Amino acid sequence: MSSFSAVDYVELPQVFHLSTRYNEDPCPDKVNLTIGAYRDEAGKPWVLPCVRKAESILAADDTLNKEYLSMGGLQSFNDAATRLVLGENSPLIQEDRAVAVQTLSGTGALTLAFQFIKQFYPGNKDVLVSNPSWGNHKLMIDRIDGLNFVQYSYYDAKTMGVDLEGMCRDLENAKDGSVVVLHACAHNPTGIDPSKEQWRKIADICRKKNHFPIFDLAYLGYASGDFNEDAYAIRLFGDLGFEFMVCQSYAKIMGLYCERIGALIFVGQTPEISHKCLSQMKIIVRSIYSNPPAHGARVASMCLNNRDMRREWEDCVKEMHARIRRARSHLHTALKTSNVPGSWEHILAQNGMFSYTGLTKAQCEILIEKHHIYLLKSGRISMCGITQENAKYVAEAFNDAILTAKEN
């Protein structure tokens, strides 16, 4: 008898299951609105020109080898990633209070952060996450013994905006010194972010309650097209004297999905504290995967540090942001033109890669099974799947799903 006969089969996350169904679907009109990955107007993945250029330069460099990076990763990348998030002239950097390690994209940064919290954070081990949030947050927290997954209110289904009253109430009622995961911008899955005034109120409560913030930063530039604007919340907390972490991904913002490039930035009260914590983060890295991959880090470092390539990359991020804004406009126009029941102004009001449509589970199932439009059953869609060509088809399918579900 096998020692593992008691192991149960677990279903894969819905997003991957639906993407598999989409890929196997022969319907010529099928639309994939599931996985959050950028697509151009033709619905194709985009390798950024600056990334192509960097890879060509690296391939021609005979001085490079395949030796291990250090546990902390490529330092030129870590330094540039920190400056991008905190600002070129950030006092946190000038005072040597901001340190960073290269991670396996954003998921790796979050996992490393949670492992560090488990081992070294002296506060309580409740980890507060927005309701709703990216599904992987719960999966990671639940699999680390000693951490407690707790949700705070975030989305108001009636206004399709931030439930600030509920969020503030839950942060106030949480145990003192809780860990709070905050989406820095382009909230996944709702596409709704707090205003600057609301961020200040959130920060005031976190300071009063002595909460420890962890910022999830996967979409810098996707919310507004401007890095500085999208980093507002993080820099606000820095200005207010918080200790905090930032978990950054270069999958979406540089198109390095399969290279698994990210950074975990830690800001402490003093340089001594920060560097002690950095040393412990490196030991955790050593125990899990020893050291991170070099190729994607070299590409990202070149795009961040080379002046011309940096300018080209920033233009690419602006184009990705603009493309998604156009997709929102295409869908909104088609919904209005097709007289689809309901108000769809939230499609335009939301930002970033995702939209919380407000569709019910029953309506989503009709879209999947009848119209071959694949989306999460929460009603979340990836706006990158919307094109000028398919927007009318999607809108008409929405109309049919809403009317059919109502009849049933």
Side-chain angles (χ1 to χ4, degrees):
M1 179 176 176
S2 170
S3 300
F4 304 100
S5 57
V7 175
D8 292 327
Y9 181 82
V10 62
E11 292 289 340
L12 293 177
Q14 182 188 167
V15 63
F16 293 103
H17 172 67
L18 289 171
S19 288
T20 298
R21 284 192 59 184
Y22 169 83
N23 291 332
E24 295 173 351
D25 189 341
C27 177
D29 296 322
K30 64 182 180 179
V31 180
N32 189 357
L33 304 179
T34 57
I35 289 182
Y38 180 79
R39 296 291 183 265
D40 63 18
E41 186 62 38
K44 303 296 183 183
W46 186 34
V47 179
L48 276 56
C50 57
V51 169
R52 292 280 196 203
K53 188 180 297 182
E55 288 184 320
S56 296
I57 293 171
L58 292 171
D61 189 346
D62 292 335
T63 67
L64 294 178
N65 54 48
K66 299 298 181 181
E67 292 294 300
Y68 294 123
L69 294 180
S70 68
M71 289 177 286
L74 188 67
Q75 195 59 45
S76 62
F77 164 73
N78 292 336
D79 292 343
T82 304
R83 291 193 301 271
L84 177 69
V85 173
L86 300 180
E88 291 289 337
N89 300 310
S90 170
L92 304 177
I93 297 174
Q94 294 171 355
E95 296 165 9
D96 196 27
R97 292 167 48 209
V99 295
V101 292
Q102 179 189 331
T103 60
L104 303 182
S105 202
T107 302
L110 285 159
T111 299
L112 178 55
F114 294 145
Q115 289 286 354
F116 180 86
I117 291 296
K118 173 193 173 182
Q119 295 181 39
F120 299 106
Y121 183 58
N124 80 78
K125 298 302 194 292
D126 285 357
V127 182
L128 279 58
V129 178
S130 67
N131 179 21
S133 190
W134 181 44
N136 219 12
H137 284 149
K138 177 174 171 55
L139 184 62
M140 285 185 279
I141 295 166
D142 283 348
R143 287 177 173 263
I144 298 179
D145 289 339
L147 298 186
N148 308 310
F149 176 83
V150 180
Q151 291 183 306
Y152 60 83
S153 301
Y154 187 84
Y155 179 71
D156 187 332
K158 292 182 180 179
T159 65
M160 296 188 175
V162 173
D163 178 9
L164 183 67
E165 181 179 348
M167 182 179 182
C168 291
R169 180 191 63 241
D170 291 347
L171 293 178
E172 285 268 17
N173 292 338
K175 297 175 186 176
D176 289 356
S178 294
V179 177
V180 182
V181 177
L182 298 165
H183 296 240
C185 65
H187 183 272
N188 177 7
T190 68
I192 294 292
D193 294 332
S195 66
K196 290 181 178 180
E197 181 181 353
Q198 290 172 333
W199 270 122
R200 287 191 288 271
K201 188 168 184 178
I202 292 164
D204 287 343
I205 295 172
C206 287
R207 182 165 55 180
K208 172 185 172 184
K209 295 288 292 185
N210 198 32
H211 293 330
F212 180 78
I214 297 179
F215 288 96
D216 187 343
L217 183 63
Y219 301 98
L220 186 67
Y222 269 63
S224 69
D226 182 273
F227 295 138
N228 295 320
E229 187 71 16
D230 285 3
Y232 172 80
I234 296 171
R235 296 179 188 181
L236 171 67
F237 276 67
D239 291 342
L240 293 174
F242 280 84
E243 292 186 306
F244 61 91
M245 286 178 164
V246 180
C247 300
Q248 190 187 20
S249 169
Y250 281 79
K252 276 75 174 180
I253 66 174
M254 207 171 275
L256 299 176
Y257 300 94
C258 68
E259 302 295 351
R260 311 312 295 146
I261 301 301
L264 174 59
I265 301 168
F266 177 88
V267 173
Q269 286 292 336
T270 68
E272 182 181 14
I273 290 171
S274 295
H275 284 275
K276 283 181 178 178
C277 292
L278 175 64
S279 71
Q280 293 291 351
M281 288 189 284
K282 289 179 179 178
I283 292 300
I284 297 173
V285 167
R286 174 64 172 164
S287 71
I288 301 175
Y289 54 88
S290 195
N291 41 64
H295 178 72
R298 288 169 175 161
V299 170
S301 178
M302 192 174 294
C303 291
L304 287 166
N305 288 303
N306 180 285
R307 183 180 300 177
D308 291 337
M309 294 174 71
R310 170 66 174 259
R311 190 179 300 112
E312 186 174 0
W313 171 56
E314 291 178 354
D315 288 342
C316 288
V317 173
K318 290 176 182 177
E319 168 53 29
M320 290 188 284
H321 167 260
R323 150 81 178 106
I324 294 172
R325 293 306 307 175
R326 291 195 298 272
R328 290 185 180 280
S329 180
H330 293 328
L331 180 58
H332 176 262
T333 298
L335 289 165
K336 300 295 284 185
T337 302
S338 301
N339 294 315
V340 181
S343 171
W344 297 98
E345 299 309 306
H346 58 285
I347 298 294
L348 297 177
Q350 295 164 357
N351 64 44
M353 186 170 283
F354 301 108
S355 175
Y356 230 41
T357 60
L359 294 170
T360 66
K361 181 179 179 181
Q363 292 164 352
C364 292
E365 288 174 344
I366 292 170
L367 288 170
I368 295 168
E369 303 301 333
K370 182 177 179 180
H371 298 283
H372 307 268
I373 295 174
Y374 294 87
L375 73 166
L376 299 192
K377 294 180 182 180
S378 64
R380 188 210 82 171
I381 63 173
S382 174
M383 293 305 307
C384 291
I386 300 292
T387 66
Q388 189 170 15
E389 183 178 341
N390 67 24
K392 185 173 185 293
Y393 173 74
V394 172
E396 291 175 348
F398 275 28
N399 189 58
D400 178 70
I402 291 170
L403 295 178
T404 301
K406 185 177 181 180
E407 291 173 359
N408 295 336

